[in-house]
Amino acid sequence: MSEQRRVAVTGSSGKLGRAVVDHLADHGWDVVALDQAAPARADLTSTRLDLTDFGQTVL
């Protein structure tokens, strides 16, 4: 049985972030998308947050 790999990608809705998210998801990673903007993919776990806001960052 293979081990599940999970990764959080910040800036996941940006140009580079979308490419990274697509690559990781296509290669079996469980991707958690983090961004201020709406998620680029509806099939992944996503959270809208502002990492410059300390209160949101430590949740």
Side-chain angles (χ1 to χ4, degrees):
M1 179 159 82
S2 66
E3 182 178 319
Q4 179 65 42
R5 300 174 297 179
R6 177 175 286 170
V7 62
V9 178
T10 60
S12 60
S13 294
K15 186 174 183 178
L16 179 59
R18 287 191 310 264
V20 170
V21 165
D22 288 343
H23 178 80
L24 291 169
D26 291 346
H27 287 87
W29 286 79
D30 179 15
V31 178
V32 178
L34 306 172
D35 204 310
Q36 291 180 357
R41 291 179 54 157
D43 62 327
L44 302 175
T45 302
S46 64
T47 300
R48 291 182 71 170
L49 74 139
D50 179 358
L51 291 174
T52 64
D53 181 329
F54 182 75
Q56 291 183 35
T57 303
V58 296
L59 283 179

